[in-house]
Amino acid sequence: MKKFLLTLVLMLPMLAFTGCGNDDEPNTPQENKGSANYSWIKNELVGEWECYRYFNSMSGIWVSTPDYVDFRYDFHADGSVDIYGYNSGSFHYKLSCQGNDVILEIDGISRSVLIRDKNKKEIELGSPVEWLRKIE
C-alpha cells in the first residue's frame, strides 16, 4: 500500500503538468484571424450595403431597420462612401487591421468590423452596433 501511495504521489505532478503548453508558443490561429477577416472584408466591402438591424442604446432594444428607415452604405473603390438615411452624405473611409481587429474609419470615426456570415455577406459595425447585408 505504501508503494502504491508513493507511486501515486510521484506521478501526480507529472500528470498535473503534462497538459501545460509552452508560454512562448505563438497563438497563430488567433493572430491570423484578424488578417483573414481583413482580407475578406477588403475584397467584399466595395458595393452597396443595407443596414437591416441596429441596437438603439438609448432605448436598449434592437431595431429592424426595414420597418423603420432605409439606411444604406455605398462603398467605392476610391475610398469614398455615400451614406443614405440618417446622417446622409459623402465621406471618406479607410480600412485597417490592428492586431485581431478590423477597423473601418469613416471621416475620422473608427468602428470595429466583424463578419456575421460570409455566405450571406453580412457584417457588423460596432459603436453604434449596426448589422449590414450586402446588396447584390
Side-chain angles (χ1 to χ4, degrees):
M1 181 72 169
K2 287 183 183 181
K3 287 183 181 180
F4 175 74
L5 288 175
L6 181 60
T7 305
L8 184 62
V9 169
L10 292 175
M11 290 185 67
L12 185 61
M14 184 174 59
L15 294 173
F17 294 106
T18 301
C20 295
N22 184 351
D23 288 341
D24 297 330
E25 293 175 4
N27 195 352
T28 307
Q30 191 173 4
E31 289 173 3
N32 288 337
K33 186 176 181 183
S35 60
N37 287 347
Y38 172 78
S39 296
W40 185 87
I41 292 168
K42 184 178 178 186
N43 290 334
E44 292 294 333
L45 191 61
V46 171
E48 213 171 331
W49 295 78
E50 66 178 345
C51 177
Y52 67 95
R53 197 163 190 218
Y54 77 95
F55 184 74
N56 185 327
S57 59
M58 295 191 67
S59 65
I61 61 171
W62 283 94
V63 178
S64 295
T65 54
D67 301 333
Y68 180 66
V69 66
D70 183 25
F71 192 72
R72 294 186 336 268
Y73 290 84
D74 191 3
F75 292 96
H76 305 284
D78 66 358
S80 64
V81 56
D82 297 318
I83 299 176
Y84 305 95
Y86 189 74
N87 290 334
S88 295
S90 293
F91 306 93
H92 295 282
Y93 75 91
K94 183 173 78 171
L95 194 65
S96 64
C97 183
Q98 299 173 6
N100 290 328
D101 299 324
V102 179
I103 305 297
L104 175 65
E105 184 180 310
I106 298 177
D107 272 5
I109 299 173
S110 296
R111 301 177 71 182
S112 61
V113 183
L114 302 172
I115 298 172
R116 294 199 48 76
D117 189 325
K118 286 184 179 181
N119 294 328
K120 294 180 182 177
K121 297 188 179 175
E122 295 178 354
I123 59 175
E124 177 179 308
L125 298 181
S127 297
V129 179
E130 297 174 330
W131 292 1
L132 306 180
R133 178 183 307 123
K134 192 163 189 181
I135 301 170
E136 306 237 34

